[in-house]
Amino acid sequence: MRRKFLFLLPMGSLMLSGCLAKTALDIASLPVRAAGKGIDLVTTSQSESDEKRGRALREREERLGKLERTYARQLDECEEGSRRACDDARQTYAEMQQLIPTLPREPAPD
């Protein structure tokens, strides 16, 4: 029994030394990985910038669509004689006019 133990002891120490070497490598490379992660968090890639611009554009387009529906409803109510609806329609139209220049124009059909 003792012979088996004596045989396994050198094998175990060799395996353990590999684990220790990997741990030492991990510890040594930690500052480099941390710095890289910090730089990655601070900087914005081109694709992330494009995604943000696209998201903002979609939100403005959605807002314009909502304003157009609200404006149409307010105009209908205004034509029925609601002075309040006429005032609201003017405000909605003004907001639409401010939002429209921030959207890209659609290409002309050929």
Side-chain angles (χ1 to χ4, degrees):
M1 183 70 143
R2 191 172 185 132
R3 284 187 177 181
K4 287 182 185 179
F5 180 72
L6 290 176
F7 177 71
L8 292 177
L9 187 62
M11 295 291 284
S13 65
L14 287 176
M15 284 189 248
L16 186 60
S17 67
C19 293
L20 292 175
K22 181 169 178 358
T23 303
L25 179 66
D26 289 345
I27 291 171
S29 64
L30 182 65
V32 174
R33 285 190 311 226
K37 184 70 169 175
I39 290 170
D40 190 38
L41 292 174
V42 172
T43 59
T44 303
S45 70
Q46 185 64 43
S47 65
E48 290 170 331
S49 295
D50 292 345
E51 289 173 10
K52 284 183 182 179
R53 276 194 299 274
R55 189 177 313 115
L57 177 61
R58 282 191 303 279
E59 289 171 357
R60 288 194 307 266
E61 288 174 340
E62 290 172 5
R63 177 71 181 142
L64 181 61
K66 184 177 179 181
L67 287 172
E68 287 173 342
R69 291 187 296 275
T70 302
Y71 180 66
R73 182 180 42 79
Q74 290 168 341
L75 280 181
D76 289 343
E77 291 174 8
C78 180
E79 290 174 0
E80 293 174 2
S82 172
R83 185 177 276 305
R84 171 111 173 128
C86 294
D87 293 339
D88 291 343
R90 278 197 250 350
Q91 289 176 352
T92 302
Y93 184 77
E95 189 176 345
M96 288 169 52
Q97 293 307 307
Q98 289 176 347
L99 188 59
I100 288 173
T102 66
L103 299 174
R105 298 187 188 269
E106 302 232 353
D110 292 330

